């Protein structure tokens, strides 16, 4: 664990991962995962290694898995064995683990003694009929640091890496007004873009944005006139009915969800990053300070699962669990403004 901690210290200072840093220090003493076999399928990038450090500090016997079609950094995966972290192959995935930290339901069939911590909302669909406890990391307020602020920031960072700039005044059409869509819109406001959110629900949005239904008769005209179209619904194939109009438009098209939201009629070449989430072209798809609370919650969920206290079914993060992580952020982190916004929006 110390060798891995030395490695990540070359890239991140402790205040950048305040929640995980608190876990590392506490768990080095309490060892809540001592001897437990943990499979972690969080998308593997450099900042994910901070999550692994906390798990190792807690005594976990850690194996890392890469889900099918889940973006990852192969260079980081090749480094893991040097730190005593096993990388799963198909044979290893036939083994039984004590708990599984999954992403997008890709490892829902891996045998788990105590249950699963699912990272994404879309992945819950794979677990609804399961007979084990499933902890929904996405269902609490902490995921908003990542999916609202972190994803919004990384969308524009990826666009700039591809050479797109001068956003002011350009028309942005976002399909999906959930956490990811609102995050992209939040940073679009900073870029002074004309922003329209397409969502079937009457969601609360900033007054500077326009909200329309996907059934609005003017939707085709908006698609044709958009400079950029972003998918953020989290639902596979949901934009299939708009694919022809999108292909005919001059819009730059990007996906910010795990699933292919455009459907088979949309060629992969027409969407930036071949339909994969655009921010995954970056060395760090989400900056460590934004994803730190999510990874800390995922780790805490694993500890909660192995107590064996949770009954089968889906479980949302308890308020006291999330507030404990927020207190760690307040004590030593860099996200006071974002924390204030999230607590206010959630009336906490």
């Amino acid at each position: 664990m110390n060798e891995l901690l030395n490695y990540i210290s070359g890239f991140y200072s402790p205040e950048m991962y305040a929640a995980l840093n608190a876990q590392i220090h506490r768990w080095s003493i309490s060892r809540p995962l001592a001897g437990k076999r943990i499979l972690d399928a969080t998308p593997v990038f450099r900042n994910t290694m901070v999550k692994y450090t906390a798990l190792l500090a807690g005594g976990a016997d850690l194996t890392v898995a890469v889900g099918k079609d889940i973006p990852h950094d192969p260079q980081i995966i090749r480094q893991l064995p040097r730190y005593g972290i096993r990388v799963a192959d198909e044979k290893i995935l036939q083994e039984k683990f004590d708990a599984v930290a999954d992403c997008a339901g890709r490892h829902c069939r891996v045998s788990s003694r105590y249950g699963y911590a699912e990272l994404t909302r879309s992945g819950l669909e794979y677990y609804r009929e399961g007979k084990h406890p499933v902890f929904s990391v996405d269902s609490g307020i902490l995921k908003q640091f990542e999916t609202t602020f972190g994803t919004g920031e990384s969308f524009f960072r990826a666009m700039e890496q591809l050479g797109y700039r001068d956003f002011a005044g350009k028309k942005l059409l976002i399909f999906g007004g959930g956490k990811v869509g609102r995050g992209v819109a939040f940073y679009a406001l900073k870029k002074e873009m004309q922003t329209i959110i397409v969502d079937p629900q009457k969601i609360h949005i900033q007054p500077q944005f326009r909200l329309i239904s996907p059934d609005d008769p003017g939707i085709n005209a908006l698609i044709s006139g958009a400079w950029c179209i972003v998918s953020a619904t989290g639902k596979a194939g949901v934009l299939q009915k708009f694919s022809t109009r999108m292909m005919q438009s001059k819009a730059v098209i990007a996906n910010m969800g795990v699933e292919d939201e455009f459907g088979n009629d949309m060629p992969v070449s027409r969407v930036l990053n071949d339909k994969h989430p655009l921010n995954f072209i970056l060395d760090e798809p989400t900056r460590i300070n934004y994803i730190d609370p999510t990874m800390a919650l995922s780790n805490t969920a694993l500890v909660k699962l192995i107590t064996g206290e949770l009954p089968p079914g889906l479980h949302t993060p308890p308020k006291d669990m999330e507030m404990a992580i927020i207190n760690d952020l307040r004590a030593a982190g860099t996200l006071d403004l974002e924390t204030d916004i999230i607590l206010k929006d959630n009336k906490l």
Side-chain angles (χ1 to χ4, degrees), residues 157-171:
R157 192 157 39 97
M159 290 289 282
E160 289 170 356
Q161 180 170 302
L162 292 173
Y164 296 101
R165 290 178 175 82
D166 302 323
F167 300 103
K170 292 182 177 177
K171 188 172 291 184

Side-chain angles (χ1 to χ4, degrees), residues 37-189:
R37 304 190 69 226
I38 301 298
L39 180 72
D40 195 301
T42 306
V44 183
F45 292 90
R46 181 183 292 122
N47 56 25
T48 323
M49 297 175 85
V50 187
K51 185 182 197 291
Y52 304 153
T53 305
L55 293 173
L56 294 174
D61 177 1
L62 180 60
T63 300
V64 165
V66 179
K68 182 181 179 182
D69 301 325
I70 300 297
H72 59 276
D73 186 336
Q75 182 178 348
I76 296 298
I77 292 173
R78 287 192 292 270
Q79 294 184 48
L80 296 182
R82 118 180 20 163
Y83 302 108
I85 300 173
R86 190 170 62 154
V87 178
D89 56 21
E90 288 301 319
K91 182 178 179 181
I92 290 173
L93 291 177
Q94 302 305 311
E95 299 174 4
K96 188 165 190 173
F97 294 86
D98 289 300
V100 175
D102 201 4
C103 176
R106 296 299 191 265
H107 295 87
C108 62
R109 298 189 183 279
V110 172
S111 180
S112 175
R113 182 172 285 105
Y114 296 107
Y116 306 80
E118 169 55 45
L119 189 63
T120 68
R121 183 66 57 92
S122 60
L124 294 179
E125 297 301 320
Y126 295 89
Y127 287 103
R128 294 201 181 277
E129 305 301 324
K131 299 179 180 180
H132 293 84
V134 179
F135 196 102
S136 175
V137 177
D138 187 82
S139 296
I141 63 171
L142 290 177
K143 195 76 174 345
Q144 295 175 36
F145 286 100
E146 173 193 349
T147 51
T148 299
F149 296 107
T151 305
E153 185 274 342
S154 65
F155 169 76
F156 283 98
R157 192 157 39 97
M159 290 289 282
E160 289 170 356
Q161 180 170 302
L162 292 173
Y164 296 101
R165 290 178 175 82
D166 302 323
F167 300 103
K170 292 182 177 177
K171 188 172 291 184
L172 177 66
L173 189 62
I174 303 171
F175 282 84
K179 291 189 288 291
V180 174
R182 290 199 304 272
V184 174
F186 178 84
Y187 280 91
L189 180 60

Side-chain angles (χ1 to χ4, degrees), residues 114 116 132-135 301 304-313 315-316 318 321:
Y114 296 107
Y116 306 80
H132 293 84
V134 179
F135 196 102
K304 182 66 173 178
L305 285 167
I306 66 170
T307 65
E309 299 171 356
L310 294 178
H315 297 269
T316 58
M321 182 184 291

Side-chain angles (χ1 to χ4, degrees), residues 158-348:
M159 290 289 282
E160 289 170 356
Q161 180 170 302
L162 292 173
Y164 296 101
R165 290 178 175 82
D166 302 323
F167 300 103
K170 292 182 177 177
K171 188 172 291 184
L172 177 66
L173 189 62
I174 303 171
F175 282 84
K179 291 189 288 291
V180 174
R182 290 199 304 272
V184 174
F186 178 84
Y187 280 91
L189 180 60
K190 291 178 176 291
K191 303 288 186 181
E192 300 180 347
M193 299 189 75
Q194 299 179 49
T195 304
I196 301 141
I197 297 175
V198 183
D199 198 285
Q201 306 296 323
K202 293 290 185 180
I203 59 173
H204 173 72
I205 60 172
Q206 296 273 4
Q208 296 90 338
F209 307 143
R210 178 182 171 191
L211 175 67
I212 70 165
S213 165
D215 298 321
D216 190 289
I219 187 69
N220 285 333
L222 290 174
I223 291 172
S224 298
W227 174 77
C228 181
I229 298 170
V230 179
S231 65
T233 70
K235 299 177 181 178
V238 72
L239 303 184
Q240 174 89 19
K241 61 183 179 181
F242 301 117
S243 60
T244 299
R245 180 70 62 173
M246 288 182 182
M247 284 187 288
Q248 292 172 344
S249 77
K250 296 181 180 180
V252 178
I253 303 176
N255 180 29
M256 288 300 287
V258 173
E259 307 292 344
D260 171 12
E261 302 182 20
F262 298 101
N264 294 330
D265 289 348
M266 175 74 78
V268 294
S269 59
R270 184 66 179 86
V271 183
L272 297 177
N273 198 27
D274 296 334
K275 294 188 178 181
H276 298 302
L278 182 63
N279 57 325
F280 284 108
I281 69 171
L282 300 165
D283 290 338
E284 283 203 346
T286 307
R287 292 200 188 280
I288 183 65
N289 56 336
Y290 292 118
I291 202 170
D292 166 55
T294 299
M295 293 195 292
L297 180 60
S298 174
N299 285 353
T300 304
L302 295 173
V303 173
K304 182 66 173 178
L305 285 167
I306 66 170
T307 65
E309 299 171 356
L310 294 178
L314 299 181
H315 297 269
T316 58
K319 179 181 176 181
D320 60 345
M321 182 184 291
E322 294 201 292
M323 290 307 298
I325 292 173
I326 284 178
N327 289 338
D328 288 333
L329 294 177
R330 289 286 203 198
T334 60
L335 297 176
D336 283 348
L337 174 61
E338 291 85 350
T339 301
D340 289 341
I341 292 172
I342 288 173
L343 292 178
K344 181 179 178 182
D345 286 350
N346 290 275
K347 297 180 173 59
L348 295 173

